[in-house]
Structures are given as structure tokens and as C-alpha cells.
Amino acid sequence: MNYLPATEEDKKKMLERIGLDSVDDLFKDIPDNVKLNRPLNLPEGMSEYELKKKIKSMSSQNQNMDQVISFLGGGAYDHYMPALVDHLLSRSEWYTAYTPYQPEISQGTLQSIFEFQTMVCELFSMDVSNASVYDGANALCEAMIMACDRKKEIILSEAIHPEYIETVETYANGLGIEVKKAGLAGTITSMDELKASINDKTGAVAVQYPNFFGNIEDLKAVADLAHEHKAMFIVVVGDIVSMGMLEAPGNLGADIVVGEGMSLAGPINFSGPSIGLIATTKKNVRKLPGRIVGLTEDKDGKRAFVLTLQAREQHIRREKASSNICSNQALHALATNITLSALGTKGLKEMALKSMRNASYAMKRFTAIEGVELVNKGHFFNEFALKLPVPAKLLNKRLLKKGIFGCVDLSRFYPERVNEGLFFLSEFRTKEEIDLAAQYMEVIFNEQLFK
């Protein structure tokens, strides 16, 4: 899209046409105390050379995953991506995030999306998926809308990522959906709280798998409870690599499975971009948001891919649509395709197994340090929470000086968990790196406790 600047004369004509005296009149409903009543704090224009030099200087202050030993997870997971992913993505015929609207879009793009949908269905063992949504939190919101079209109540496990819960609450506020939360028994969803909260008004029950603390929830038990009350069961998959080891949610009673696919689509990049995955059963196919690509035949009997079942967005009256998602993450969907194709079933399983083994070794190594305790109850996959003898914030600050990203400080989400940190182990971590981190942690704890 071209940038078309408006001259003062252009602005004057437009204001005259709509009957206003100034641009400020367009924003008169916004209170003055929340307006930025000064120019933006931007530097003067620079030459291309000066700008490149400035940006390189600024970016060199960052530390990335290639420079440090990272134990950070909590929703953003650093996993292996084959080199051919970036190479193929950069081909000009693919290099666009533009999402297809027209049914006559190129067969190559449609085939890519169709294969992405197929792989998502295979990962989750579900019948149908779409061309992706924005991110995992957004996918959970769309699942809530699918499940609460008649009932107006949803129960979320408090072991779902707190930022996902916050996003759902924001969506629900405008839709008149009541959000209930089921508390924890340790670091696992309390079945007693779920049973106490669920009733015949409940549209859906949602849990994360593995949950925010890394634990593997009993999906079958939650599914049975939800279905007893004719509610849908939504499963949130935080780290898609876990599907290389764990039983697929579709085989355990899930009606809708959502997830975050960034760990197979691109490197950790501040807050994004992400890619939201969503899949469901044939029964709910017409409720899926966004666009779906189907396989058919043309008039000559040749295989053809077409956009289909787009009845939920701009193709019908806006007020009639239950979802107004108009875009998807086409480039990230393609990246996910390439990664999964390169890894294959065996490669994904090996990645998941190594990640899980690293987590098991790290947990044993870290909890051998005096004063460190495992918080998790039950089985975990590649993340676990530890109770530390010092605040997690302090530990992270000291580890960073040694070139280590320590843990997710749980007090960020749970103020009472000041001394608790969430550790993530990918397949990248080595025994030597884990041992080194343990040695530094022991020194830091001793210095703080005996200074």
C-alpha cells in the first residue's frame, strides 16, 4: 500500500467536507488529560548511512538466544528450526504475510494453507483446522466464542497462562460472557473447584496442556466433567513441541484445541509475531473463525484447492458474524509447514524427548542445591517451577551477569510467589550448561544468605 501524504490544502478540503474546523475536532471526545499535548519524541531526519549506524549501535545492546544460556519459557519457547526454513521463506513467491481473500488465489498458496491445516489436525488429532489466527491467546478467545454461542459462561483453569486469561476476560467483557476461574491444587487444576463451578449454563471448560507451570493435566477427567454438563472442552497447547511426546488432546475428549505455534515458525522475537492454532471436530466446522481451504476437483477432474466456509466474517453482515477475524498468519503458517515437513514425526518426537530429558536432569541438579524445592505436583514436560532461597528477580539479575537468562519470575503474575521461578529446558541445553547454571546458582544463594 502506498503512503499518500495529505497537504494542508487536502486537509482543509476534507475538513470542509465533513463540517469541521480543525483535525483536533475529530478527537474532541477524548479527554485532554489523556492526550499527548506535545510533538512525538523523535529525532531529526538522518541520512541512510547515519540511520543504519544508529540502529546497529542500538541493536548491539540486545542479548539474544545465541549469546546466552536461556532457561526462559513461560509462553515463548526457543526450539530448533532447520536452516531451510528461512531459505524457502525468503523466496519471492512466498515472501508475503498477505492473507488470501479471493477464491482464485494461487493454487500454491492454497495448497500451503491446506497442508498447514492438515498438519495441525494431525498434531492435535482433530478433524478440521483453519488457516491460523493471530496468536495462542487470540485462538483461545475464538474458541470461547465458538463454545458460548448459546450459553454465556466459561470456566478457565488458573493454570492457563495468565496473559491468555487476561485476553479472554477482555473479549468476554464486550460479549457479555461470564468468565469463572477454577483454582489450583498445588500447580494443577483443582477438580474440586471445577466441579463446584460447573453447571448447565457453562458453555465451555478450558485447561492448558502442559499447563503454565509445566504440569500435564488429566484431560480425560476434565473432558468427562464438561460433557456431563453439555459444555465444550477446550484444550490450550502452550508449547506445540509437546505434541511430539504427549497424547493428542483430540484422543482425550477435546472439542476444540488451540495453541501457540511460534516455536516452530520463527525465532524468539520480543513479543512476536506469533501464530495461533485452532482445530475442532466436524460437528463444529461451521463455527471456525477465519478462512478454511478445502480440497476438491476442477471441471476437468484435476485436484484443486479452494477457499471455503468463510461464513463468519466480512462475507456476511458484520452484526451477524460471531467472529470478525479478517486475517491470518500466512507466512508463519508456511514456516510451520516447512519445519514440520523437515522434522517429520521422528524429528519432532526426538526434539520433545530431548527437551523433556534436559528438564528432568535440570530439575534434579537444581533441587540438589540447599534451599531449593520443586513446586510442581505431578508430572511435568519441559518446564517446572522452583521455590528459591532468594527472590527470583534477584537471581535473574545475578545470572544475567554470567550470561544466563535464569527463569520466569512468577511474582510477575502471582505477587505471593516472590521466591518462585519457572524454568524451561529446550533441546538446545547441554549437561555442561545446566551444571554451570547450577554452580552459579549455588554461589549466588550462598552469597545472599551469608552476606
Side-chain angles (χ1 to χ4, degrees):
M1 182 180 293
N2 292 328
Y3 170 64
L4 301 173
T7 65
E8 291 302 317
E9 186 62 28
D10 293 334
K11 294 177 187 174
K12 185 179 176 183
K13 288 181 181 177
M14 287 189 282
L15 289 169
E16 286 177 354
R17 183 66 179 268
I18 59 178
L20 297 178
D21 295 325
S22 70
V23 173
D24 289 340
D25 288 345
L26 292 169
F27 307 107
K28 64 182 179 182
D29 294 328
I30 300 174
D32 285 337
N33 63 337
V34 299
K35 289 180 182 175
L36 184 67
N37 293 309
R38 59 170 174 76
L40 291 173
N41 184 21
L42 293 175
E44 295 294 322
M46 287 181 267
S47 68
E48 183 178 330
Y49 168 75
E50 291 171 326
L51 183 61
K52 280 186 176 179
K53 191 174 180 182
K54 176 75 173 176
I55 295 298
K56 282 184 178 177
S57 171
M58 293 170 66
S59 65
S60 66
Q61 298 176 51
N62 292 326
Q63 288 180 298
N64 61 51
M65 295 297 191
D66 295 329
Q67 299 168 318
V68 298
I69 301 170
S70 176
F71 295 97
L72 294 180
Y77 303 102
D78 185 32
H79 285 294
Y80 170 70
M81 280 184 58
L84 83 165
V85 177
D86 276 346
H87 178 73
L88 292 177
L89 277 187
S90 64
R91 290 178 64 93
S92 59
E93 62 267 41
W94 289 119
Y95 200 65
T96 176
Y98 181 70
T99 181
Y101 287 88
Q102 302 81 7
E104 68 276 16
I105 195 74
S106 79
Q107 284 293 295
T109 299
L110 292 173
Q111 181 176 349
S112 165
I113 294 175
F114 181 83
E115 291 178 356
F116 167 79
Q117 295 170 179
T118 304
M119 291 183 191
V120 171
C121 287
E122 289 181 353
L123 283 172
F124 295 156
S125 192
M126 301 299 283
D127 298 327
V128 59
S129 174
N130 70 1
S132 80
V133 290
Y134 303 132
D135 57 30
N138 170 238
L140 177 56
C141 295
E142 292 293 336
M144 171 186 70
I145 296 170
M146 290 172 63
C148 295
D149 58 343
R150 295 181 181 177
K151 299 180 179 181
K152 295 295 181 184
E153 184 179 297
I154 184 171
I155 302 175
L156 303 180
S157 160
E158 286 190 349
I160 292 177
H161 195 303
E163 290 175 346
Y164 282 36
I165 293 177
E166 190 177 353
T167 309
V168 168
E169 289 176 330
T170 302
Y171 267 64
N173 183 55
L175 297 169
I177 297 174
E178 182 182 357
V179 178
K180 291 182 176 179
K181 284 182 273 189
L184 306 177
T187 51
I188 296 178
T189 307
S190 166
M191 285 301 294
D192 290 338
E193 290 216 14
L194 272 181
K195 290 175 182 175
S197 300
I198 196 167
N199 57 56
D200 292 341
K201 296 178 182 177
T202 305
V205 177
V207 300
Q208 185 169 322
Y209 173 74
N211 69 25
F212 181 66
F213 300 95
N215 278 122
I216 301 167
E217 301 272 4
D218 185 350
L219 297 193
K220 186 68 170 58
V222 182
D224 290 344
L225 179 65
H227 294 155
E228 281 176 20
H229 294 269
K230 300 188 184 308
M232 284 200 191
F233 179 37
I234 301 171
V235 176
V236 183
V237 176
D239 184 357
I240 192 173
V241 171
S242 65
M243 293 295 97
M245 281 295 297
L246 303 182
E247 182 64 88
N251 296 333
L252 298 169
D255 298 293
I256 306 173
V257 184
V258 301
E260 171 56 62
M262 188 171 75
S263 54
L264 294 181
I268 300 295
N269 185 20
F270 293 98
S271 59
S274 297
I275 174 170
L277 315 176
I278 183 167
T280 187
T281 58
K282 284 181 183 175
K283 180 181 176 183
N284 300 307
V285 62
R286 290 186 176 276
K287 294 181 178 180
L288 267 181
R291 52 195 43 71
I292 303 170
V293 174
L295 175 63
T296 185
E297 293 181 349
D298 65 12
K299 66 178 183 180
D300 299 321
K302 296 178 181 176
R303 187 178 73 161
F305 300 92
V306 293
L307 284 177
T308 185
L309 290 175
Q310 300 179 77
R312 297 188 68 226
E313 41 166 54
Q314 69 269 41
H315 297 280
I316 63 175
R317 283 185 296 173
R318 186 181 182 88
E319 66 274 16
K320 292 287 186 183
S322 55
S323 171
N324 280 291
I325 278 208
C326 294
S327 187
N328 74 323
Q329 298 285 58
L331 194 64
H332 266 32
L334 176 61
T336 306
N337 270 357
I338 300 170
T339 302
L340 287 171
S341 299
L343 291 174
T345 305
K346 184 180 177 184
L348 185 65
K349 185 176 181 179
E350 287 179 358
M351 182 187 288
L353 184 61
K354 190 169 184 182
S355 190
M356 188 175 70
R357 284 175 174 165
N358 282 344
S360 177
Y361 177 74
M363 183 276 290
K364 291 175 183 173
R365 189 68 178 80
F366 295 164
T367 53
I369 302 171
E370 186 176 354
V372 178
E373 298 175 23
L374 180 67
V375 176
N376 291 72
K377 304 296 181 187
H379 298 291
F380 61 85
F381 174 54
N382 59 1
E383 282 183 285
F384 55 86
L386 295 181
K387 188 173 184 180
L388 308 165
V390 302
K393 185 176 182 180
L394 188 149
L395 173 66
N396 287 341
K397 188 176 179 181
R398 295 291 305 276
L399 285 176
L400 188 56
K401 292 180 179 177
K402 301 294 184 182
I404 296 175
F405 286 161
C407 59
V408 174
D409 177 2
L410 287 177
S411 69
R412 175 181 166 188
F413 305 105
Y414 310 94
E416 71 280 10
R417 295 179 183 265
V418 175
N419 279 37
E420 293 182 19
L422 184 66
F423 291 80
F424 159 71
L425 277 293
S426 76
E427 64 281 2
F428 291 135
R429 296 287 68 85
T430 63
K431 178 178 180 295
E432 290 74 20
E433 290 173 336
I434 296 169
D435 289 340
L436 182 65
Q439 290 169 17
Y440 283 139
M441 287 167 66
E442 194 163 12
V443 170
I444 293 167
F445 296 152
N446 287 333
E447 285 178 354
Q448 293 301 315
L449 294 174
F450 299 106
K451 72 178 180 180

